[in-house]
Amino acid sequence: MDIKSKIDELVSKVKNDKDFGKKFKENPVKAVEGVIGMDLPDEQINKIVDGIKAKVSLDDISGKLGGLFDKFKNK
């Protein structure tokens, strides 16, 4: 399994599927296992969960910062 591509896939799912996003916030390990369809060792699942959280947070921050810079462009 390519972990990077799986993280990218799940990040997209967290952002675009409200039900999955809610499940991920409530129990990220169970949500990830449900999507990948495998019971992986906790060490691997936690790496995937951490990667998803980091990418979602980073994308959220850059989106907010982008909006901040857009405000100054128009002035």
Side-chain angles (χ1 to χ4, degrees), residues 6-17 20-21 24-25 28 32 48-64:
K6 193 52 80 172
I7 288 172
D8 290 341
E9 176 188 330
L10 290 167
V11 165
S12 178
K13 191 161 178 70
V14 166
K15 290 180 177 182
N16 299 315
D17 182 339
F20 181 75
F24 183 81
K25 286 180 183 178
V32 169
I48 294 171
V49 168
D50 291 344
I52 295 167
K53 286 180 179 179
K55 189 149 178 93
V56 168
S57 294
L58 184 62
D59 288 349
D60 187 41
I61 289 170
S62 67
K64 289 177 182 174

Side-chain angles (χ1 to χ4, degrees), residues 2 4-5 8 16 19 27 31 34 42 44 47 52 67 70:
D2 180 18
K4 184 183 179 318
S5 66
D8 290 341
N16 299 315
D19 290 334
N27 189 340
D42 287 348
Q44 287 182 328
K47 285 181 183 178
I52 295 167
D70 289 342

